[in-house]
Amino acid sequence: MIDVAVLHDTGWPDTDWEMLAQRAVSAAIAHSPFAAFATDAATYEVAVKLTSDEEVHELNRAYRDKDKPTNVLSFPMVQADLLESTANTDDGEILLGDIVLAEGVCAAEAADRGISIADHAAHLIIHGTFHLLGYDHMDDNEAEVMEALEVAALASLGLSDPYGDNILSGV
């Protein structure tokens, strides 16, 4: 089972963020090798925090040595090579990790792309979930794999390809 908790700061538009985050995380997991997480007896937990650019800036500086806000940060709690054995938990709960989105950055990127903040946030949550599942985009091959999975997950939600013809454009 997939359980998504949403922490929602002020400033974000009025949307059913709990449903959006649950759908986005579930879509990402369904399009990964870990699709069985959705039906496992164990509960796989993801926390999504919708917060300010300032908070994301602080986190980005503290954890990534980057002195600026970014659109999304992911904090995996399970090593990628241990994900397959997580169903053998003692208490039936596995915290996959945290995903943090910056409101101002997300809103500006959505405006630049001519899409809603909710649709862009769904993409960023999917992107963050793939990071929790061990995916990355440090080189072209990794980026192509991750972006293809993101596009498939977005399509399952009725959302368009954010990369278009410019594969590897990044988020």
Side-chain angles (χ1 to χ4, degrees), residues 68-109:
K68 63 180 181 176
T70 189
N71 52 13
V72 61
L73 293 171
S74 299
F75 298 95
M77 300 295 181
V78 179
Q79 288 178 211
D81 61 337
L82 299 177
L83 281 168
E84 290 184 25
S85 61
T86 54
N88 299 324
T89 176
D90 290 338
D91 64 2
E93 296 179 1
I94 298 94
L95 179 58
L96 290 177
D98 301 331
I99 300 168
V100 184
L101 276 67
E103 188 273 329
V105 176
C106 184
E109 289 176 349

Side-chain angles (χ1 to χ4, degrees), residues 140-151:
D140 289 353
N141 290 334
E142 289 178 344
E144 287 179 18
V145 169
M146 189 170 170
E147 289 176 8
L149 291 169
E150 289 177 33
V151 169

Side-chain angles (χ1 to χ4, degrees), residues 34-170:
F34 305 103
F37 287 2
T39 57
D40 277 354
T43 301
Y44 295 86
E45 300 175 5
V46 173
V48 175
K49 183 161 190 188
L50 306 171
T51 192
S52 66
D53 290 3
E54 293 76 24
E55 183 173 353
V56 172
H57 185 164
E58 290 173 23
L59 291 168
N60 206 21
R61 183 175 44 238
Y63 291 98
R64 298 180 65 225
D65 262 346
K66 297 189 184 249
D67 194 17
K68 63 180 181 176
T70 189
N71 52 13
V72 61
L73 293 171
S74 299
F75 298 95
M77 300 295 181
V78 179
Q79 288 178 211
D81 61 337
L82 299 177
L83 281 168
E84 290 184 25
S85 61
T86 54
N88 299 324
T89 176
D90 290 338
D91 64 2
E93 296 179 1
I94 298 94
L95 179 58
L96 290 177
D98 301 331
I99 300 168
V100 184
L101 276 67
E103 188 273 329
V105 176
C106 184
E109 289 176 349
D112 287 348
R113 292 181 173 130
I115 61 173
S116 72
I117 293 172
D119 286 353
H120 189 49
H123 175 213
L124 295 176
I125 293 168
I126 287 170
H127 183 87
T129 301
F130 280 116
H131 279 305
L132 299 183
L133 297 175
Y135 289 88
D136 214 332
H137 44 82
M138 298 305 289
D139 66 42
D140 289 353
N141 290 334
E142 289 178 344
E144 287 179 18
V145 169
M146 189 170 170
E147 289 176 8
L149 291 169
E150 289 177 33
V151 169
L154 287 162
S156 75
L157 298 177
L159 300 174
S160 63
D161 176 354
Y163 300 109
D165 293 330
N166 188 14
I167 199 82
L168 303 178
S169 62

